[in-house]
Amino acid sequence: MIKPDGVQRNLVGEIIARFEKKGYKLAALKMARPERSHLEEHYADLSGKGFFAGLIDYMASGPVVCMVWTGVNVVLEGRKMLGATKPSESAMGTIRGDFCVEVGRNVCHGSDSTDSAEHEIKLWFPEGVCEWDACTNAWIYEK
Ligand code: UDP
Ligand code: MG
């Protein structure tokens, strides 16, 4: 997901391009202005944290762009592409390392496990995602 700061800072195209160029396949994409209750459900595991209220304010401050990307090891590798939670700990070359400064304005979200990805896909795309065959498949995967 591209968070409200990523949208406001015109990073939507840049972030999508990184996942496309890596070789992952887009399965769903939409812009949304979620209710606070939806964001609270999305971040339910962090509800006890001191930064929770600020996080929900931040996430509710503007539209977000939600995406589902598919591919081999996409959850693990996608998190590497995002960088560490704190931009100051993110390697240069990662999205957070290259485009942000503070943890509370870290421009993107990525599921942290396949289980949480499945849960988040259901939460954000209850209508389902798009199944399609990419003609580039044989140029990205050996088999
Ligand atoms: N966050 C924050 N302060 C913190 C830790 C996290 O504002 O000390 C925010 C930050 O935007 C982060 C989000 O809460 O991306 C979710 O935290 P999580 O630990 O799940 O990090 P992520 O999975 O996004 O790397
Ligand atoms: Mg997380």
Side-chain angles (χ1 to χ4, degrees), residues 1-2 12 16 27 50 65 70 77 81 90 95 98 100 102-103 109-111 118 125 130:
M1 182 190 307
I2 304 171
V12 173
I16 291 175
V65 173
T70 64
E77 299 297 321
M81 290 167 67
S90 303
I95 294 166
D98 286 351
C100 56
E102 282 206 319
V103 67
H109 164 80
S111 305
E118 279 174 27
F125 292 96
C130 193

Side-chain angles (χ1 to χ4, degrees), residues 3 43 46 51 55 58 79 84-85 96 103-104 106 108-110:
K3 294 178 173 179
Y43 279 128
L46 300 175
F51 59 81
L55 172 60
Y58 159 46
R79 290 276 298 190
T85 302
R96 287 165 172 170
V103 67
N106 61 357
C108 52
H109 164 80

Side-chain angles (χ1 to χ4, degrees), residues 1-69:
M1 182 190 307
I2 304 171
K3 294 178 173 179
D5 50 339
V7 174
Q8 296 287 351
R9 294 181 53 208
N10 300 317
L11 293 171
V12 173
E14 168 76 34
I15 292 170
I16 291 175
R18 286 186 180 214
F19 280 81
E20 275 192 325
K21 288 178 191 170
K22 171 76 177 171
Y24 296 133
K25 187 173 78 171
L26 187 62
L29 171 73
K30 71 177 166 197
M31 196 167 205
R33 191 78 205 260
E35 298 286 335
R36 293 180 73 86
S37 57
H38 189 90
L39 294 164
E40 284 163 2
E41 193 177 346
H42 172 75
Y43 279 128
D45 58 324
L46 300 175
S47 62
K49 303 281 185 187
F51 59 81
F52 186 69
L55 172 60
I56 301 301
D57 286 346
Y58 159 46
M59 292 298 295
S61 65
V64 296
V65 173
C66 314
M67 297 171 280
V68 177
W69 291 94

